[in-house]
Amino acid sequence: MKLIAVIGGHLNRPYANTFNGGESTMNKGDLVNEVAKLVSTKKQAQEVVDCVFSTIVDALQKSDAVQIAGFGSFKTAKREARTGRNPQTGAEIKIDARNVPKFVPAKALKDAVN
């Protein structure tokens, strides 16, 4: 529960426009650096970030939804089998059914980015 509060607490915090030495995309290392500002060490921050991601993946593998208040929901959706086309040859190919992850942002997240 404490981790969810930490994540939710950052929605109102203004981030710099650049991460990772000037790039405008935040990557996992940048996220670890932000979490490290709230915990004792960077190693702990790495463990926290890895734990959050692995917990979300584990839940999705079991077809469970993950809802984080003020952030959004992760869930899986079934993509039906379909027929596709090889763009090089034009030949039809069968694409198997599969489960795909979906993310639905919460209203607070949508409002924060607008």
Side-chain angles (χ1 to χ4, degrees), residues 18-35:
T18 59
F19 300 99
N20 198 20
E23 294 181 19
S24 61
T25 301
M26 179 182 249
N27 61 28
K28 186 176 177 182
D30 298 326
L31 183 59
V32 169
N33 291 335
E34 288 295 317
V35 174

Side-chain angles (χ1 to χ4, degrees), residues 9 13-15 17-18 22-23 26 28-29 31-32 43 48 51-52 55-56 65 68 85 87-88 104 108 110 114:
R13 182 173 166 216
Y15 284 109
N17 289 335
T18 59
E23 294 181 19
M26 179 182 249
K28 186 176 177 182
L31 183 59
V32 169
K43 182 179 178 185
V48 168
C51 179
V52 170
T55 302
I56 292 171
I68 303 171
R85 194 167 295 278
Q88 292 180 335
V104 179
K110 289 179 188 177
N114 287 317

Side-chain angles (χ1 to χ4, degrees), residues 2-74:
K2 183 177 178 186
L3 179 61
I4 291 173
V6 168
I7 292 171
H10 281 294
L11 288 178
N12 295 325
R13 182 173 166 216
Y15 284 109
N17 289 335
T18 59
F19 300 99
N20 198 20
E23 294 181 19
S24 61
T25 301
M26 179 182 249
N27 61 28
K28 186 176 177 182
D30 298 326
L31 183 59
V32 169
N33 291 335
E34 288 295 317
V35 174
K37 295 175 184 176
L38 301 171
V39 297
S40 300
T41 66
K42 193 169 180 177
K43 182 179 178 185
Q44 281 182 328
Q46 180 71 49
E47 291 171 355
V48 168
V49 171
D50 288 341
C51 179
V52 170
F53 290 155
S54 67
T55 302
I56 292 171
V57 169
D58 291 345
L60 293 176
Q61 286 175 334
K62 294 185 260 181
S63 295
D64 292 340
V66 178
Q67 294 179 329
I68 303 171
F71 186 73
S73 300
F74 296 90

Side-chain angles (χ1 to χ4, degrees), residues 70-81:
F71 186 73
S73 300
F74 296 90
K75 54 188 169 183
T76 57
K78 180 136 177 98
R79 187 171 287 169
E80 298 296 328

Side-chain angles (χ1 to χ4, degrees), residues 11 105 107-114:
L11 288 178
K107 183 179 184 316
L109 180 60
K110 289 179 188 177
D111 292 344
V113 299
N114 287 317

